[in-house]
Every structure is written in C-alpha cells, then in structure tokens.
Amino acid sequence: MSILDRLVSDVQLMFRRPVREQYGALCYRLKKKKPAVEILLITSRDTGRWVIPKGWPMDGKSAPAAAAREAWEEAGVKGVVAQESVGNYHYMKGLPEGLEVECRVRVFPLAVDDVFKNFPEKGERRAEWVDCVEAANRVHEPGLKTLILAFEHKMLADLAPKPKTGTTNA
C-alpha cells in the first residue's frame, strides 16, 4: 500500500461516522378467519417510501418501550410490544445538513390492540395494513424485507396446530 493510499484510507476512517442505533416497531395483527399476518406500514415524511415506525433511543425508556412510543406517535397504534427483538436491519438516514449516517434498527414486534384516529403525526404520513409478502415488496431495505418474511414464517408456524404426542391403546 502506497503512502498516498494509506493517507486516503486514514482520512476516510476519520470522517466515517459510527453506526447509529434506532428502535422500530413491527406492528402486526392476525386475521381471524384464516391464519394470516398483516403488517402496518407507514410512509416516511421526507421521501414517502414505505417503512415501519422507528426512531432514536429515548431517555428513561427501554428499547421496546421506545419502539412502542414510535408506533403511537407515527402510526397511531398501541398494543403489546415484545421485549425481545426479532432482528435488525441497516439503512442510510439522511440528515437535515445533507449528510447521511448509517443506522441499525432493532425491531420489536407489536401486537396491535388499538388504532386511534388522532395521534401526534396524523396527516404527515399514510398508513396501510398489508400482508407480509406485500409489505416485503413495498419496503426498500433488504434486511427489513427478510425480517418481515421471517416474522411471518415464525408466526404461522406458532399458530399451526401441534401434532398430538403419545401412544394409543389400539
């Protein structure tokens, strides 16, 4: 490696920002008639692309609580949030100054119980309930696509009737 290559590499490392962490809510509901999972997607305020509710850590709130708060503020939903993440994905977040930072979003499932007409960001976003395949098709981030489809697979496997074990006296 030449001295010039080494200098360029060192300068790039100096200006490289650390990955920022955010918390997201994978808001879902189960269809009653047949086993199916629906995901609530919202549009981002800046680009209008389909995303899940997410945001920065909040003082005094755990990661799952912060994800649930984002679901309320951005989508107007409340429910039971899982305490364990189902995974994470990465994306580049544009900042007001024109810079971009890499974000890692830890995702927490939120079983939606209530949908409200009035909430903090009402009118700033669109929201739609869609099946998991459609949700995966709409979002741009490859990691989020994979996470949504894996979540559906796990939920449907958990809902499937379990085979009875034991012996019969025939």
Side-chain angles (χ1 to χ4, degrees):
M1 182 182 276
S2 74
I3 292 176
L4 183 58
D5 290 336
R6 176 68 184 211
L7 282 172
V8 168
S9 175
D10 288 349
V11 168
Q12 287 174 335
L13 284 174
M14 284 177 15
F15 287 104
R16 188 170 159 209
R17 297 180 184 275
V19 173
R20 306 269 185 94
E21 185 159 79
Q22 291 187 316
Y23 306 126
L26 188 61
C27 304
Y28 72 96
R29 66 184 181 189
L30 300 174
K31 297 295 277 181
K32 292 186 176 23
K33 290 184 180 178
K34 67 174 189 163
V37 181
E38 287 187 319
I39 301 294
L40 180 63
L41 293 181
I42 60 173
T43 55
S44 67
R45 287 189 291 190
D46 54 353
T47 64
R49 74 185 193 287
W50 291 103
V51 297
I52 62 172
K54 63 186 173 305
W56 304 109
M58 298 176 187
D59 287 340
K61 289 197 182 299
S62 66
R69 178 65 186 208
E70 293 297 338
W72 156 247
E73 290 177 0
E74 297 180 1
V77 297
K78 291 187 178 183
V80 178
V81 67
Q83 296 304 300
E84 295 293 322
S85 166
V86 291
N88 61 68
Y89 69 94
H90 292 255
Y91 80 105
M92 296 303 290
K93 171 138 183 92
L95 299 177
E97 309 85 38
L99 297 174
E100 283 190 334
V101 294
E102 183 180 359
C103 290
R104 178 179 79 126
V105 182
R106 286 178 48 204
V107 179
F108 297 87
L110 186 141
V112 174
D113 293 327
D114 294 310
V115 179
F116 296 85
K117 289 184 180 180
N118 293 312
F119 53 95
E121 295 185 17
K122 181 183 178 183
E124 298 178 34
R125 304 170 183 273
R126 288 187 6 237
E128 284 186 32
W129 286 101
V130 295
D131 65 50
C132 291
V133 171
E134 179 65 20
N137 286 332
R138 287 190 187 188
V139 299
H140 292 221
E141 298 81 10
L144 182 55
K145 290 175 187 287
T146 301
L147 197 145
I148 289 169
L149 295 174
F151 179 74
E152 177 188 40
H153 182 74
K154 180 187 180 320
M155 290 297 293
L156 293 178
D158 289 349
L159 291 173
K162 305 288 185 242
K164 294 183 180 180
T165 58
T167 60
T168 58
N169 293 331

